Amino acid sequence: MIHPERIRCLNSKQRLDGPVIYWMSRDQRVRHNWALLFAEQLSLDSNQPLIVLFNLVTSYPQAALRHYDFMLKNMMQVEKKLQTLNIPFFVRAGNPESELPSFAAEHKAGAVVADFSPLKTSLVWKKKVFGQLSIPVYEVDAHNIVPCWTASRKLEFSARTIRPKINGRLETFLTVFPELQRQQSDNTTLPYPVNWEKLYEKLHINRAVKPVSWIDPGEDAAQKVLEDFIEHRLNDYAEKRNDPNAHAVSDLSPYLHFGQISAQHIALEIQKSRARKESKDVFLEELVIRRELADNYCYYNEHYDSLSGIHPWAKETLNQHRTDKRDYLYTLDEFERASTHDPLWNAAQKELGKKGKMHGYLRMYWAKKILEWTPDPETAFETAIYLNDTYSLDGRDPNGFTGVAWSIGGVHDRPWFERPVFGKIRYMNYNGCVRKFNVAQYINSQGIFST
Ligand code: FAD
Ligand code: FO1
């Protein structure tokens, strides 16, 4: 059964007879997907066919070939999985505001189900699409364990304030998923096989940021990574997760960003594992509290994607230090080419550029140095978001906007003792990293010899 608080009806239209469309967008998976399960429930209740639509936008902001390749390779698997369940899968390429209404009309749809994202891109799509539809539109939060609008009705100040609100509802929401059934009805217009090559050609994207080979895209690969993490790395997560030299983290963020694996499913598997309790707790704090706090930040703060979204205390302190002398100043191009004076920063940028993933501990250091080496905090924010979203597989995500806002704007953090440029924003430096892990080893591992 799907908890009713996961579902919101976005308009008050009457249901018509006709197929139920699940417009798959943020949660690009067949298993453990509450939006798909709800669409199935609607279709069974009304004895109408269920069909799935993926609307491919040919130039998603900041997305490059690296990201589209990771996404489309999974979509090819989604097509096959839905075929085995006799659930027709269609792909349209273009702007959702024109494709969705024409698709719904063409199939005489009776209802549309959308998954949930707090990001502006998705909100703009929905506003434009749902104003044109004369059938009911439902939105299902298939990404969070506790639905974003249920966890809290307001912008939360920190992990400390949202944690009890989320933990208090896990009993209700951290539940096992029902199985998606094979669709019986054969009165659906079966789609032609998707012409993926043609879709690749339609993309207007930055093709210089190449796909990566260290991680396989797709639901099945994500499940294998999860199992391997639980088997070999979860135990040491608490003590080694901040060491970029130890492969101690899950590497699940690219799959989570594209919805190729369910956070709820991960949490259930982590809970079942026999790994050390301390490591399980620390991991769940990141996966559940930190990640859902990021959706809260983006959902309740329309300026999540710029410095103007940070708290007044942080704005004030950064302004007071706006004219402080910067010891180093770099342009976007110098950052992008990893050519600063700091071999550690350069190594982290190289990892991001080559691998499409930077270790979480270094991301904080990396972003904070951008604040220190740019002319003003606004430029710093824009530079960090641009580099993060252009190169990181898990970029263009609430976690990224929130991670940059934390590093540069002190969001979800507290004031620290005052210093030049940073003011009261938490400071991090090279020696702090040396105390935490073997910096020379990390730098050499990125093929850069420390000076
Ligand atoms: P693990 O340590 O295995 O964590 C497992 C999961 O928990 C992650 O996949 C993520 O969903 C969640 N998680 C872990 N740490 C955080 C965190 N600090 N905030 C929110 N959720 C967290 N994460 C992204 O998904 N996309 C981004 O673009 C991104 N940009 C960041 C930028 C900066 C400047 C900072 C400081 C952090 C950023 N993060 C981002 C958060 C965090 O660094 C990554 O989620 C993490 O490194 C992903 O790797 P992993 O899955 O192997 O991590
Ligand atoms: N969502 C879509 O519905 N269609 C797309 O073509 C699409 C492309 C895309 C490219 C990169 C990326 O990081 C995300 C992309 N998304 C797309 C959106 C994504 O699935 C989520 O909906 C958003 O990231 C919101 O969280």
Side-chain angles (χ1 to χ4, degrees), residues 146-386:
V146 180
C148 189
W149 46 76
T150 297
S152 170
R153 298 224 176 295
K154 66 180 179 61
L155 185 65
E156 290 294 331
F157 199 69
S158 67
R160 188 179 44 75
T161 61
I162 203 172
R163 186 176 299 116
K165 298 181 181 182
I166 290 177
N167 286 341
R169 303 300 306 268
L170 287 183
E171 175 99 11
T172 310
F173 289 102
L174 184 49
T175 56
V176 174
F177 289 87
E179 274 300 309
L180 191 69
Q181 298 164 38
R182 191 177 190 291
Q183 180 159 223
Q184 299 316 318
S185 66
D186 52 9
N187 58 353
T188 52
T189 46
L190 284 181
Y192 297 105
V194 179
N195 182 338
W196 296 104
E197 294 72 44
K198 211 173 90 213
L199 289 172
Y200 267 84
E201 283 152 24
K202 283 193 167 184
L203 299 176
H204 299 291
I205 50 170
N206 170 356
R207 294 176 190 262
V209 183
K210 301 275 181 237
V212 293
S213 57
W214 63 275
I215 182 173
D216 293 332
E219 277 188 69
D220 300 340
Q223 178 61 27
K224 281 207 195 78
V225 167
L226 172 63
E227 286 163 8
D228 175 66
F229 171 66
I230 290 175
E231 191 63 32
H232 303 114
R233 300 203 296 281
L234 176 57
N235 221 34
D236 299 336
Y237 185 78
E239 89 202 58
K240 294 190 180 161
R241 67 197 175 101
N242 287 330
D243 179 356
N245 297 313
H247 182 202
V249 294
S250 70
D251 278 342
L252 285 169
S253 62
Y255 298 116
L256 280 160
H257 166 68
F258 284 101
Q260 297 178 14
I261 191 167
S262 150
Q264 183 157 338
H265 167 62
I266 296 172
L268 290 167
E269 293 304 298
I270 296 288
Q271 276 187 338
K272 277 189 314 196
S273 89
R274 289 187 318 283
R276 285 195 3 234
K277 182 176 177 334
E278 189 205 357
S279 283
K280 289 165 56 171
D281 291 348
V282 169
F283 184 81
L284 289 173
E285 167 72 12
E286 301 289 355
L287 175 79
V288 183
I289 306 301
R290 281 278 157 200
R291 201 180 49 86
E292 305 209 1
L293 178 63
D295 261 36
N296 171 277
Y297 182 67
C298 296
Y299 186 58
Y300 289 112
N301 180 351
E302 60 171 327
H303 302 298
Y304 64 78
D305 55 351
S306 79
L307 198 79
S308 54
I310 69 176
H311 295 301
W313 72 264
K315 280 182 185 157
E316 191 191 328
T317 197
L318 286 169
N319 278 330
Q320 279 162 359
H321 293 270
R322 185 174 286 278
T323 56
D324 289 3
K325 182 178 161 323
R326 270 72 174 157
D327 293 342
Y328 298 91
L329 275 177
Y330 296 110
T331 62
L332 174 62
D333 183 53
E334 287 164 326
F335 282 123
E336 195 159 18
R337 282 185 298 105
S339 56
T340 73
H341 69 287
D342 176 348
L344 176 58
W345 193 94
N346 295 342
Q349 178 60 30
K350 284 263 177 202
E351 181 179 35
L352 177 64
K354 254 187 341 216
K355 196 179 168 198
K357 188 167 186 289
M358 184 192 297
H359 187 276
Y361 186 81
L362 281 170
R363 279 176 125 159
M364 299 187 281
Y365 175 76
W366 171 86
K368 286 178 179 287
K369 291 301 130 188
I370 293 175
L371 171 60
E372 196 168 345
W373 302 330
T374 39
D376 54 71
E378 288 78 8
T379 307
F381 197 103
E382 287 152 23
T383 302
I385 290 292
Y386 166 79

Side-chain angles (χ1 to χ4, degrees), residues 8-13 114 126 130 136-139 149:
R8 293 194 302 187
C9 188
L10 298 185
N11 65 16
S12 53
K13 303 281 192 227
K126 285 177 180 158
F130 299 155
V137 179
Y138 301 92
E139 184 176 51
W149 46 76

